Amino acid sequence: MKTPLNGSGRSVSARTCLLAGLLGLIVGTAPHTFAMEVKGPGLWLSTEKTFLLSEPHKTQLLENLRQITGLNELQFGENGQLQLGPVVESNDGSAAARQVLQRAIESGYVFLIEDHSGSPEVTFGQLDEGTHYEDEHGKRRFLIWRLRLDFDDFRNLEAPRRVRESFSIGFALLHELLHGLGHRDALTIEEVGECEDVINKARLELFLPTRDQYFASQLRITGNFFTYRLKFRDHVRRRDEYLFFMTPPGSVVADITESMVIVRKQPR
């Protein structure tokens, strides 16, 4: 059972501590299969068949991360590990975004990037509860995060071009990495949360609109048919802009507070 997800990409905090022998019971795969993925700290493409990134999705993610960070040589190696290439001070890209990637890589954690496109349980992006892995001999210990991305969700939204650039697959990945690094989401409607505070700094460095709203606003269209809206601030044009997204049929409104909503997709 998944924790209800905010329509704008809320993650689940780390709670689980497991021995390797119990790993398969929790993650639905044999311990030795999971261990094959655990190659060491860093950002890795998942090797699980169900969650492999397709070539188009891998290209989309890389190109977007290059645009955001200015790291033109950023790539996934043949072994699936994200490699930043030379990290130098530059006027291209966002220094704040580069710092997030560097922190994640140097954290000692394992981040496994999974493709959950079309999933009813992942909205834009999600981090799992986290798993403490220890091999049979106790020589290797890792905190493993499964970072889940739904590429389809980013095609099914409406927003001005600059807002779409501010709310992209690359920014979703950075947001989820920040959760693994200990940052939290908003707790009240007056804040955007620690993750988005950092992401907004990166957006400002790229002269992109900043996110002014973490929780989505629910707008009724007809009857029980709703759309959801997030507010952004375009500091260049000095005006508010909005991003709209729909949820699949059967989605559930989990909570409503002062017209702000948390939504979740209908479980399978």
Side-chain angles (χ1 to χ4, degrees), residues 134-175:
E134 181 177 336
D135 67 17
E136 294 179 356
H137 306 290
K139 295 181 179 180
R140 295 200 308 165
R141 297 182 178 89
F142 300 111
L143 177 54
I144 302 170
W145 299 104
R146 289 175 177 258
L147 197 160
R148 300 159 177 162
L149 298 173
D150 189 329
F151 289 77
D152 289 352
D153 287 342
F154 291 90
R155 289 194 290 268
N156 299 325
L157 54 83
E158 295 292 335
R161 178 185 59 82
R162 285 169 48 77
V163 173
R164 292 180 72 98
E165 292 177 7
S166 289
F167 194 81
S168 64
I169 196 72
F171 279 121
L173 180 139
L174 294 173
H175 180 110

Side-chain angles (χ1 to χ4, degrees), residues 80-128:
Q81 185 176 27
L82 184 67
Q83 301 170 350
L84 301 187
V87 180
V88 295
E89 292 299 323
S90 171
N91 292 327
D92 296 329
S94 162
R98 292 194 291 271
Q99 186 179 49
V100 174
L101 285 181
Q102 283 184 295
R103 285 178 58 199
I105 289 173
E106 297 169 0
S107 66
Y109 302 149
V110 176
F111 292 91
L112 297 178
I113 304 171
E114 301 180 341
D115 193 333
H116 286 252
S117 296
S119 168
E121 299 171 345
V122 175
T123 308
F124 296 113
Q126 177 195 15
L127 206 68
D128 78 343

